[in-house]
Amino acid sequence: MIQAIGLTSAPRGGLPPAVDDLTFEARPGNVTVLHGPAAAGKTTALRLMLQLETGRGVALFRGRPLHRVPNPAREIGVLLGDVPGRPSRTARGHLRMLTAAAGVPADRADDVLDLVGLSGLADKQIGDLSRGMDRRLGMAAALLGDPHTLVLDEPTEGLAPRETAWLHGLLRGYAAQGGAVLITSRNSREAARIADHVVTLHDGRLAADQEAVAFARTRMRPRVAVRSPHADRLADVLIDESQRAQRASDPAIGRSVEVVRESGSRIAVYGSSCAAVGETAFRHRILVHQLTDEAGDTTLASPLHRADGRPAPAVTEASEAVAVTSSGEAGTHVDTHIDMTTSVVGDIALHATSHTPGNTAAVVDRNALSDTLTLPVIEPSTSVPRQAPPASSPLAERLAIPRLPAPGPAWPLRYELRRTLSDGSGLLVAVVTLLVSLVLALLLARHGAAPTSRVMTGWPRQLPFPPAALGAGLLGSLAFGQEFRYPALAHERGAVPRRLGLLVAKLLVSGAAALALGAAVLAADEVASRTLFGPNAANTLSDWPVFSLGWAGLLVGCAWAGVLAAGVFRSTAMGLAAVLAVPVAVMPLVQHVLAEPAARSLAGLPGRLRSSALVQWPSGIDQGVSVVLRLATQPVGGALTLSLAALVCAYALTVLRHRAH
């Protein structure tokens, strides 16, 4: 159950809000359509419900707002536009990454790929998928956590009829098992065809809240399809006779007729009948090739058709309610009624199988007059409640998911590890950093005047930071920057602990990556220098523990600064800019402060801490504390510490602001 109460978006630029006091509900077991023209506020309403935009009102998912749902991916499946995945990542890699975010087993990715018919394309990159395959992958991601609710924005936009029929069949099967489906659509025909309930928006406000049958009656009307080599002439004749009849005020034939030219040889006539149009064409000796009340879509595509070329599962009698049947012949009547003698195609069959057969009114979308599909409107007197498909049907078995274990506290770490390992950008940054450091180290070793520490780190005195530090900062920036460039977890904005858990995971993984990069730089520079210029090119350091601690602290600090800055400013570039600001802006300030003579110093601080501690620690810790203090009072260490403290405060304020919204 979805309950939207008083949704109102924040006004921008002096314009009225895109959504104004919108209240509706989407019941379980039903497909609810938010219908309206472009810019009616449909997408904004979904984003308000998912807390992706600021505004007023509340959306409850089974009685709880999104930020109180423990794991949104296990409750709500979301598809907003195209799949927000990195184009170079494979379909399986993308879903395996999201399984960790949803707290479900990794092999669940293969299950949903098979469900949407993409198992044969699991190793194909996301950027190479067609529009229809992209939507299938998006549905796989939405179904990954076995959610109770699906929220989809224009899921059929740009799809071919075959893919549209597949998606409608999947959504109807999902709703038949008790799930709540909420989608947006600007197509009245599609809304009447797939929906159980239609919520119509106009300029951001609620215009109508209707059952699908009532919506079809009030928003759609029948038409006569005519195909003729003299279509323009016939259209002029029909309009002329209609106008003359209206002027004569003949109550028998004085109806208003509307003619729409759809192509060079095809017109659609509203407000008339096949008999009247045929008689007019006969009187004026106009050749007619086709004259019919449109009776349905003749597309023969199974909703379970696979996109990877593998054979679709056989459709049995138990799953006929969600499968496309062969097209049937429809009897045409002058009063624009059709007799549904056999089952019709696609999702219309879903409605037909749950109602008593009988005469139904043929209706057509007035907003998309070029579309030839005519839908049956079920009379209330002949309708019975829709029955869910049997639990033993093939579709029910394919959609049924075993009970999933509760997500553990390690899911953010698993997610970040899979995201990092499946992202080639991090590997490219590490390789470039290693090569640059190696070149600089060889140049320093060749001159022979640089200290050993400078040679091993590839850090000339002319540079405020070593290349490895900038590389570590870029790795950290990518960790959060990619989340905003390809927002796979956009709808995961929920409780603060989960966001803090994701931050901790990114700090741990980026810190480990920075340490690995630093170790690789030291090893490569030392081995290359000794190999090319002899063993004296890189002498052994006398104070190796202090050097190692300082080097590790510099790289980890830069990586963390990149993570925090990218999280605050929502950009990889801003994360790297924050890292560069440390040597360019912050370090000169710290140097200026440290250059002034101090009246007091921190000498003897370890001893004073030992004397005031309740538990006496080993004497070796005093030396470690002294080393940390010495590193922190260096210009680089002080600047990095100051930057990290500022970024931590900024990130905390950002999280609290989002929580308040």
Side-chain angles (χ1 to χ4, degrees):
M1 168 75 77
I2 305 176
Q3 295 171 296
I5 305 171
L7 295 180
T8 303
S9 62
R12 297 178 180 178
L15 299 175
V19 175
D20 188 5
D21 195 23
L22 177 61
T23 299
F24 68 93
E25 67 178 25
R27 296 184 293 272
N30 288 341
V31 176
T32 303
V33 176
L34 279 181
H35 173 262
K42 305 184 296 297
T43 301
T44 304
L46 295 189
R47 293 181 63 84
L48 284 171
M49 295 171 60
L50 298 173
Q51 300 181 357
L52 299 178
E53 288 202 15
T54 58
R56 301 192 304 274
V58 64
L60 303 179
F61 299 90
R62 293 208 285 184
R64 293 177 296 182
L66 182 64
H67 65 274
R68 293 191 180 276
V69 176
N71 191 352
R74 298 274 292 275
E75 178 74 22
I76 309 156
V78 177
L79 177 59
L80 303 178
D82 296 333
V83 174
R86 185 173 179 81
S88 60
R89 187 174 284 126
T90 64
R92 178 185 285 116
H94 178 73
L95 292 179
R96 286 178 64 87
M97 179 187 73
L98 295 181
T99 56
V104 300
D107 56 4
R108 178 80 178 113
D110 294 322
D111 294 340
V112 293
L113 281 173
D114 183 67
L115 174 65
V116 301
L118 287 180
S119 56
L121 303 175
D123 295 325
K124 193 177 184 65
Q125 293 183 345
I126 295 178
D128 297 334
L129 297 178
S130 66
R131 179 76 171 178
M133 294 177 184
D134 182 86
R135 286 308 170 98
R136 288 176 183 254
L137 181 60
M139 287 302 304
L143 295 170
L144 200 60
D146 188 21
H148 176 269
T149 302
L150 288 180
V151 178
L152 315 174
D153 185 26
E154 298 279 2
T156 62
E157 183 180 7
L159 295 186
R162 194 181 192 89
E163 295 293 342
T164 300
W166 170 84
L167 182 58
H168 284 178
L170 182 65
L171 295 180
R172 287 251 47 105
Y174 179 88
Q177 295 182 68
V181 180
L182 175 63
I183 68 174
T184 64
S185 177
R186 68 184 70 176
N187 192 322
S188 300
R189 174 185 59 83
E190 179 185 41
R193 178 168 58 175
I194 190 176
D196 300 285
H197 199 82
V198 182
V199 178
T200 304
L201 303 184
H202 181 70
D203 292 336
R205 298 185 67 88
L206 181 65
D209 192 339
Q210 304 167 293
E211 297 297 327
V213 173
F215 171 82
R217 282 204 194 92
T218 58
R219 294 298 300 261
M220 306 179 73
R221 54 179 177 165
R223 67 180 178 180
V224 178
V226 185
R227 193 178 299 276
S228 170
H230 309 290
D232 290 341
R233 180 185 168 202
L234 178 59
D236 294 337
V237 169
L238 290 171
I239 294 174
D240 181 65
E241 287 196 356
S242 174
Q243 292 175 348
R244 284 191 284 106
Q246 286 183 333
R247 286 195 296 267
S249 299
D250 189 343
I253 60 173
R255 294 178 299 172
S256 176
V257 174
E258 180 183 353
V259 181
V260 177
R261 293 177 176 86
E262 297 182 347
S263 66
S265 62
R266 179 184 171 88
I267 61 174
V269 183
Y270 296 84
S272 186
S273 65
C274 282
V277 174
E279 291 173 0
T280 300
F282 177 77
R283 286 196 304 269
H284 292 83
R285 298 181 179 277
I286 298 176
L287 178 64
V288 174
H289 290 165
Q290 180 186 11
L291 179 63
T292 181
D293 290 316
E294 294 174 330
D297 193 348
T298 58
T299 302
L300 296 179
S302 170
L304 299 180
H305 175 74
R306 300 180 64 86
D308 53 12
R310 297 186 177 185
V315 179
T316 63
E317 294 181 359
S319 60
E320 286 179 355
V322 290
V324 175
T325 62
S326 59
S327 63
E329 298 296 332
T332 304
H333 301 271
V334 174
D335 59 357
T336 70
H337 280 66
I338 58 176
D339 185 16
M340 305 298 289
T341 57
T342 61
S343 57
V344 293
V345 298
D347 46 9
I348 298 178
L350 290 168
H351 294 268
T353 54
S354 61
H355 296 280
T356 303
N359 289 340
T360 54
V363 290
V364 168
D365 183 5
R366 69 174 67 187
N367 297 326
L369 299 180
S370 61
D371 202 322
T372 62
L373 177 61
T374 305
L375 300 175
V377 177
I378 307 302
E379 296 293 338
S381 60
T382 63
S383 64
V384 295
R386 176 180 290 117
Q387 300 296 326
S392 60
S393 68
L395 182 64
E397 293 176 359
R398 288 167 62 80
L399 287 176
I401 302 172
R403 184 175 180 84
L404 298 173
W411 72 262
L413 186 59
R414 293 200 304 269
Y415 164 79
E416 183 59 22
L417 284 172
R418 291 173 183 169
R419 187 206 64 80
T420 302
L421 295 177
S422 61
D423 187 3
S425 300
L427 179 61
L428 179 61
V429 169
V431 171
V432 172
T433 301
L434 189 61
L435 292 177
V436 173
S437 297
L438 183 59
V439 171
L440 293 177
L442 293 178
L443 291 176
L444 293 174
R446 180 174 179 271
H447 290 291
T452 302
S453 60
R454 293 278 179 173
V455 174
M456 293 181 63
T457 58
W459 186 359
R461 294 186 181 276
Q462 293 80 4
L463 296 180
F465 256 25
L470 297 180
L474 184 54
L475 289 176
S477 301
L478 288 171
F480 245 138
Q482 298 289 0
E483 299 289 355
F484 299 107
R485 187 176 181 183
Y486 308 110
L489 297 180
H491 62 284
E492 284 286 314
R493 290 178 54 185
V496 173
R498 180 168 59 255
R499 301 302 297 178
L500 291 181
L502 184 61
L503 172 65
V504 171
K506 290 186 178 297
L507 292 177
L508 291 176
V509 174
S510 63
L515 292 177
L517 177 62
V521 166
L522 293 180
D525 291 351
E526 182 178 9
V527 170
S529 300
R530 290 179 180 273
T531 301
L532 294 179
F533 304 109
N536 295 328
N539 297 324
T540 304
L541 293 172
S542 58
D543 198 0
W544 179 258
V546 176
F547 168 78
S548 300
L549 184 60
W551 179 243
L554 176 63
L555 298 185
V556 173
C558 288
W560 288 1
V563 170
L564 293 169
V568 171
F569 299 108
R570 306 170 67 88
S571 168
T572 300
M574 291 302 297
L576 183 59
V579 176
L580 291 173
V582 174
V584 174
V586 183
M587 195 162 66
L589 176 63
V590 174
Q591 285 177 331
H592 177 72
V593 173
L594 295 179
E596 297 180 358
R600 296 179 176 85
S601 68
L602 298 177
L605 178 60
R608 293 193 294 272
L609 291 176
R610 173 192 288 273
S611 62
S612 60
L614 298 178
V615 179
Q616 298 296 318
W617 58 68
S619 58
I621 295 183
D622 291 347
Q623 183 179 2
V625 173
S626 300
V627 170
V628 172
L629 291 176
R630 186 172 61 173
L631 293 174
T633 54
Q634 295 296 320
V636 175
L640 196 56
T641 302
L642 181 62
S643 298
L644 286 174
L647 289 172
V648 167
C649 295
Y651 189 89
L653 291 176
T654 302
V655 171
L656 292 177
R657 179 171 61 88
H658 288 165
R659 185 183 185 185
H661 287 162

